[in-house]
Amino acid sequence: MVRKSLFAVLCYSVKITYHNISSYHIIYIMLDILSFLPHKRKQTNSGWISFNAVCCTHNGESQDKRGRGGVILSNTDDWSYHCFNCNFKTRFQLGKPVSVNTRKLLGWLGV
C-alpha cells in the first residue's frame, strides 16, 4: 500500500543583512502534514483521517476526545481540515497563499 502524504509548502520572507546591505529572500519549507497529526488516528472509508481535534479548546469548546477532527486529501497536493465539534475549517492548496486558519492549525499541531 502506497502512503499518500499531505504536503504543505510554507513561504517565509527573510531579511538578510550583510555588510550593511539588506536583501529579502523567500524561503519555502515543504512538510508532511501526516507526520504532525496525533498518533491515535484512523482512516475512514470515505478518505478522512480522523483524530482528536486540536482546535476545539482554541475556539471555546471543550477538548475533543471522540476523534471529531479530520483531514482529507483533495488531490495530490491539496488537503482540507474540518472539526466536526467546533466547526473549524481550513484548507491548503499548493500554489496559493497559506490562509490564517491554516497557519493557526499548523501552529496547534506544533509545526
Side-chain angles (χ1 to χ4, degrees):
M1 180 178 172
V2 177
R3 176 180 170 233
K4 291 184 179 179
S5 296
L6 308 176
F7 287 101
V9 178
L10 303 180
C11 178
Y12 293 95
S13 178
V14 178
K15 180 180 179 182
I16 298 174
T17 304
Y18 183 73
H19 291 294
N20 294 327
I21 300 173
S22 295
S23 62
Y24 288 88
H25 299 273
I26 297 176
I27 298 174
Y28 293 94
I29 300 171
M30 189 169 200
L31 55 95
D32 181 5
I33 295 300
L34 290 179
S35 63
F36 292 96
L37 297 181
H39 293 289
K40 184 182 175 188
R41 60 181 182 238
K42 63 180 179 178
Q43 187 159 0
T44 65
N45 292 335
S46 60
W48 284 93
I49 300 169
S50 299
F51 51 92
N52 290 338
V54 295
C55 55
C56 296
T57 56
H58 302 282
N59 292 315
E61 296 287 336
S62 59
Q63 182 180 0
D64 178 30
K65 297 179 182 174
R66 296 175 50 200
R68 293 176 282 191
V71 173
I72 192 165
L73 183 65
S74 300
N75 61 39
T76 55
D77 297 318
D78 303 343
W79 53 265
S80 298
Y81 173 84
H82 185 118
C83 175
F84 296 94
N85 185 38
C86 70
N87 208 31
F88 178 84
K89 299 176 189 177
T90 190
R91 68 183 311 180
F92 173 81
Q93 293 179 295
L94 189 63
K96 293 196 175 182
V98 179
S99 70
V100 172
N101 280 352
T102 301
R103 279 185 249 141
K104 285 180 183 180
L105 175 66
L106 293 173
W108 297 332
L109 288 171
V111 176

